Amino acid sequence: MNASPANAIVAAANVTKRFGDLRALNNVSLTIAPGTVQCIIGPSGSGKSTLLRCINQLEKIDQGAIWVDGQLIGYRIKGDELHELSDAEIARQRLSTGMVFQRFNLFNHMTVLENIIEGPVTVLRRPRQEAIAEAEKLLARVGLSEKRNAYPIELSGGQQQRIAIARALAMKPKLMLFDEPTSALDPELVGEVLAVMRDLAASGMTMIVVTHELGFAREVATDVVFMDKGEIVERGPPNAVLVAPQQARTRDFIAAVLK
Amino acid sequence: MTSAVGIGIGRDLAGIAGLKLVPRRYYGRWVAAALIILVLAWVMKAFAEGQIDWKVVGQFFTAPAILSGLVNTIIMTVCAMALGVALGVIFAIMYMSPNPVLRGVALFYIWFFRGTPLLLQLLLWFNLALVFPTIGIPGLVEWRTIDVIGPFMATLLGLGMNQGAYTAEVVRGGILSVDVGQTEAAKSIGMTRLTTLRRIVLPQAMRVIIPPVGNEVISMVKLTSIASVIQFSEILRNAQTIYYANARVIELLIVAAGWYLIVVTLLQIGQFFLERFFSKGRGDRRTKPRIVEEAGA
């Protein structure tokens, strides 16, 4: 567990996560530098979403350690003991990361604007007017200013996902996690979400993106990880991993996706 | 393509379009209506010929004792329901808490208050002085239980605590009906468990909670009548007191029934507007039953 979290935004060291008998993550180590766009690809059930959810503490890891923004997550070190953090402390740690879900998970009972200001107002205790002004800028950025007062159900999947990105950005996170953000979308709506993500990457945001969009990965990623059966099989720049993979499993997966 | 439709029946589409449309005939409806009118007529005849003095009904409908009973019934319904819903929400949250002590307490509460008859609980509260002669903080403040727990208090505690046990299960069902993705999204923007419940989960659970709770409010209006056994002067008890004196039994029961129906009708109208309010963001503000497409489906 001698990861050096000093200059990494995320450092995972020997992380294992079990669901019953299944090892969703098996001794995974990964460090990610600030400003990187890290894409994680792999077949379903390979553990890539689980890794993302562990980074945001939506799942608790069984072994190993994860540092986010230099902080050990889930525990406090006291002498030679690890003390579990409280609910409120975990909530505070999550403030450094934003998360975008496969199924958007917008708050259904709130309008688009209310969705975006909910975190800043309720969690960060920012003045409402200030939060609204900020939210309007974000809405313009994702190109949905005119949907300000719509309810999520009135929006297309692509629009909902762009709002979900705006909601996460409103918390000013240092790191954005994307859990298969385009997998639940109709094919013609994928482009608009990827465009927002591309724009976000260009602005220098650190992003970890679990995706099946190999084209996006090749174009935007600084670094690509291929996972299979709870392990990292191959890692490298997109032109290496996606174009000239070294491992047979990676080659098979890419061939299957591109077919 | 149009000409292909009618092949085999002998007419094409143009020929069909000229025919006269005869709606389906519902003979069953006419038979049922006739039967019901017969039964109604028979019941009305019985009431008209029976020893019912409708003037007495009119006279007592707004009698002071009846009206004060009505006010007590309404006050008790509101207070007991408020207590019941408050306890229901608290115990539902305790039941779903990761804390085993809180969960245990909630389980015990629901088990006890659902497991014993309401009438027995009312009698227990009313006779609490037999177990606890005084209540309060020993040495600081103390009251004689008999002074604190009168008919009103005993009824309120009995009905409210009993209602809480049932409402807890309704609230729990409502909370479970909210997609887990909503909780995860709330966590991801840094909300704690309780903030998530208050801001995200409970408001959406209300849509599921309101119809059964509305049902229980209506049921509570009528349940208050059993408090007559511990001398709480609600509408039915006051009606009884009057007919013990003047022997106009049916007339006063009709008066009470009339008031119950009026109150329940008003409550149903209130429930309609409440449901409409909490269906926010469900794409349909009219609360007509219909299939709502889930977000992202």
Side-chain angles (χ1 to χ4, degrees), chain B residues 32-49:
Chain B
L35 276 175
I36 285 164
I37 287 170
L38 266 174
V39 171
L40 271 181
W42 177 74
V43 171
M44 279 169 78
K45 184 163 168 284
F47 268 86
E49 288 174 357

Side-chain angles (χ1 to χ4, degrees), chain B residues 11-21:
Chain B
R11 279 180 203 274
D12 59 9
L13 191 59
I16 297 266
L19 301 181
K20 183 170 171 263
L21 182 76

Side-chain angles (χ1 to χ4, degrees), chain A residues 53 56 58 87-88 91 94 97 101 103-110 118-119 122-123 151 153 160 167 171, chain B residues 181-182 184-193 195 199-200 203-204 280-283 285 292-293 295-296:
Chain A
R53 292 168 61 81
N56 209 14
L58 290 177
D87 184 39
R94 286 202 185 100
T97 57
F101 299 85
R103 301 194 55 89
F104 334 130
N105 297 347
L106 289 179
F107 305 132
N108 297 317
H109 61 307
M110 295 181 178
E118 179 61 20
T122 310
V123 179
Y151 281 96
I153 196 174
Q160 289 193 51
R167 175 178 67 183
M171 300 301 286
Chain B
Q182 296 285 312
E184 290 186 346
K187 280 182 179 172
S188 80
I189 57 168
M191 284 192 185
T192 57
R193 205 178 82 86
T195 311
R199 295 286 308 166
I200 307 300
Q204 294 186 66
K280 233 171 22 174
R282 282 277 155 184
R285 289 293 202 109
V292 177
E293 201 183 320

Side-chain angles (χ1 to χ4, degrees), chain A residues 154-205:
Chain A
E154 298 159 7
L155 305 177
S156 74
Q159 291 171 333
Q160 289 193 51
Q161 195 60 299
R162 283 145 72 192
I163 299 298
I165 294 172
R167 175 178 67 183
L169 289 176
M171 300 301 286
K172 298 200 165 41
K174 293 187 177 164
L175 165 70
M176 284 283 284
L177 308 175
F178 293 85
D179 188 3
E180 303 195 24
T182 57
S183 299
L185 296 176
D186 291 335
E188 80 274 19
L189 303 177
V190 170
E192 60 187 75
V193 172
L194 292 183
V196 169
M197 290 169 64
R198 210 172 276 133
D199 172 58
L200 192 59
S203 76
M205 173 64 78

Side-chain angles (χ1 to χ4, degrees), chain B:
Chain B
M1 197 179 138
T2 46
S3 61
V5 172
I7 289 174
I9 311 173
R11 279 180 203 274
D12 59 9
L13 191 59
I16 297 266
L19 301 181
K20 183 170 171 263
L21 182 76
V22 181
R24 189 201 287 194
R25 293 194 173 91
Y26 296 96
Y27 299 108
R29 294 181 186 179
W30 291 104
V31 173
L35 276 175
I36 285 164
I37 287 170
L38 266 174
V39 171
L40 271 181
W42 177 74
V43 171
M44 279 169 78
K45 184 163 168 284
F47 268 86
E49 288 174 357
Q51 299 296 310
I52 298 170
D53 191 341
W54 290 96
K55 245 190 239 148
V56 174
V57 173
Q59 184 189 332
F60 279 97
F61 206 73
T62 52
I66 293 292
L67 290 182
S68 86
L70 174 69
V71 169
N72 281 342
T73 292
I74 292 172
I75 291 176
M76 182 53 71
T77 303
V78 170
C79 294
M81 212 56 216
L83 179 63
V85 169
L87 289 174
V89 171
I90 292 169
F91 280 99
I93 291 171
M94 284 169 67
Y95 195 156
M96 302 178 86
S97 157
N99 179 337
V101 179
L102 295 183
R103 207 164 52 229
V105 171
L107 264 162
F108 176 83
Y109 169 79
I110 293 169
W111 170 76
F112 181 80
F113 285 96
R114 278 204 314 191
T116 52
L118 176 58
L119 185 55
L120 185 148
Q121 289 171 29
L122 281 182
L123 292 171
L124 266 182
W125 286 113
F126 195 53
N127 295 301
L128 198 66
L130 298 177
V131 191
F132 302 100
T134 59
I135 48 177
I137 305 159
L140 268 172
V141 273
E142 270 185 293
W143 300 277
R144 292 195 314 147
T145 305
I146 259 183
D147 298 334
V148 182
I149 312 257
F152 181 86
M153 253 319 185
T155 308
L156 174 62
L157 288 170
L159 293 176
M161 301 281 283
N162 186 268
Q163 186 58 49
Y166 286 94
T167 309
E169 287 294 81
V170 171
V171 172
R172 195 167 69 93
I175 290 174
L176 288 174
S177 78
V178 178
D179 180 46
V180 68
Q182 296 285 312
T183 307
E184 290 186 346
K187 280 182 179 172
S188 80
I189 57 168
M191 284 192 185
T192 57
R193 205 178 82 86
L194 283 181
T195 311
T196 303
L197 268 172
R198 183 172 58 83
R199 295 286 308 166
I200 307 300
V201 177
L202 280 177
Q204 294 186 66
M206 290 306 273
R207 198 178 54 89
V208 175
I209 293 171
I210 297 264
V213 167
N215 195 27
E216 290 183 346
V217 173
I218 285 165
S219 156
M220 178 67 83
V221 173
K222 295 164 293 163
L223 264 184
T224 52
S225 64
I226 88 166
S228 59
V229 297
I230 54 169
Q231 288 116 55
F232 179 65
S233 43
E234 43 69 55
I235 191 162
L236 183 61
R237 182 180 157 82
N238 289 5
Q240 284 179 306
T241 313
I242 296 170
Y243 73 61
Y244 289 147
N246 69 5
R248 300 288 195 174
V249 178
I250 295 293
E251 287 84 348
L252 278 142
L253 289 180
I254 290 173
V255 166
W259 276 116
Y260 281 120
L261 283 171
I262 289 171
V263 172
V264 166
T265 306
L266 292 177
L267 285 172
Q268 277 175 347
I269 295 170
Q271 184 180 353
F272 170 82
F273 287 104
L274 208 58
E275 281 183 22
R276 197 166 65 162
F277 177 77
F278 279 105
S279 64
K280 233 171 22 174
R282 282 277 155 184
D284 184 8
R285 289 293 202 109
R286 290 159 305 172
T287 70
K288 263 194 215 153
R290 79 162 215 202
I291 299 153
V292 177
E293 201 183 320
E294 292 296 325

